[in-house]
Amino acid sequence: MGNDTHTDSTRREGHDGTGPGPITPDGCAVELWARLPVGDTPDVIEAAVPAGVTILELGCGIGRMTHPLTDRGFTVTAVDESAEMLARVREDVRTVRSPIERLDLGERFDVVLLASFLVHAGDEAVRQGLLETCRRHVAADGCVLMQREGEDWHLNVPRESRLGADGVARIVSSTRVGDGVNSVHAEYEFPDGRWTHTFRSRPLTTAAFEQALADAGLTVESYLTEDRTWVRARPTR
């Protein structure tokens, strides 16, 4: 195992991470994300949108979803604020380095993708900025695909799950830190490495989630999965 390498001094408030390799501004470990399985997420996305459309992926990380979607014929523009994350994205994919909430490409896309529970940003101004970026970049007849937390995500703790053949993920705690925001602490263990991630999350009821989208000019069209964590929204007409 190597030493911790904190290569970006602009850490977001309440976010931190430990473990081998670079740590991004929101506390994510690049080496860890390179190991995390993508699961069935590309299947959910592919089933929700027409074949071959343009996708703006916000918070692409190392390309866990970027690469499968590109391989399935979608044209993906991948956005992340971490240069270390973007360095792992394949050269055949267009990448943009920017904080999501400040992104303005002057373009519209058939699909805007906001995964990884980013809509639960602890800072309400940041959350609103994320949603406004979605609205600003989605085509008039396009859609926004979003991943939200499960209903009991902050209540069912501690919990753990397997990561591939030899890894374990644990949500150790979710502790209220004021103003409707929780500090979440996660641990990830593999035989050759251990990482932690601490971040802030704002739990949202379905009504609060839909209101936040409405405030940004988006309307929920449908919940795409049985657990209602994947959502398709449209620009409000």
Side-chain angles (χ1 to χ4, degrees):
M1 287 188 289
N3 296 323
D4 294 359
T5 306
H6 296 266
T7 56
D8 196 320
S9 60
T10 57
R11 192 64 48 78
R12 290 177 180 263
E13 183 180 0
H15 293 246
D16 202 1
T18 66
I23 306 294
T24 67
D26 61 355
C28 291
V30 176
E31 298 296 338
L32 169 64
W33 279 89
R35 297 176 179 224
L36 296 182
V38 69
D40 64 354
T41 296
D43 299 331
V44 173
I45 295 167
E46 185 176 33
V49 300
V53 295
T54 59
I55 297 178
L56 178 65
E57 183 186 1
L58 302 175
C60 67
I62 55 93
R64 287 167 62 245
M65 288 187 288
T66 317
H67 300 147
L69 292 173
T70 299
D71 291 343
R72 296 180 191 207
F74 297 103
T75 300
V76 182
T77 295
V79 178
D80 206 278
E81 66 181 343
S82 165
E84 291 88 355
M85 287 286 196
L86 290 175
R88 304 294 184 99
V89 178
R90 292 190 327 224
E91 291 185 359
D92 62 329
V93 176
R94 175 194 181 194
T95 59
V96 178
R97 184 186 181 192
S98 173
I100 298 169
E101 64 269 30
R102 298 207 295 268
L103 182 72
D104 191 351
L105 296 176
E107 303 172 43
R108 301 270 182 165
F109 297 81
D110 300 317
V111 178
V112 178
L113 179 60
L114 187 70
S116 301
F117 315 117
L118 292 174
V119 72
H120 291 272
D123 185 327
E124 289 183 296
V126 169
R127 182 192 67 204
Q128 199 64 16
L130 300 179
L131 294 174
E132 288 172 357
T133 292
C134 292
R135 179 65 181 86
R136 185 162 55 245
H137 289 90
V138 67
D141 59 349
C143 69
V144 179
L145 299 184
M146 239 170 266
Q147 186 182 25
R148 61 193 287 255
E149 296 171 348
E151 296 291 341
D152 66 344
W153 203 84
H154 292 269
L155 303 175
N156 179 25
V157 289
R159 65 181 182 273
E160 75 173 41
S161 57
R162 302 296 303 180
L163 294 174
D166 59 359
V168 177
R170 298 185 184 91
I171 302 298
V172 179
S173 60
S174 177
T175 307
R176 183 63 60 89
V177 291
D179 188 32
V181 177
N182 288 4
S183 176
V184 180
H185 183 70
E187 298 176 349
Y188 304 86
E189 288 190 10
F190 291 83
D192 60 343
R194 180 180 183 276
W195 289 266
T196 70
H197 186 199
T198 301
F199 59 95
R200 291 188 179 176
S201 174
R202 181 179 294 274
L204 296 171
T205 63
T206 297
F209 168 76
E210 294 185 355
Q211 184 60 55
L213 268 62
D215 291 343
L218 296 167
T219 302
V220 171
E221 179 182 69
S222 59
Y223 290 88
L224 303 173
T225 51
E226 188 173 337
D227 62 6
R228 296 169 61 86
T229 58
W230 276 98
V231 182
R232 182 171 57 216
R234 301 278 184 183
T236 304
R237 299 192 182 281

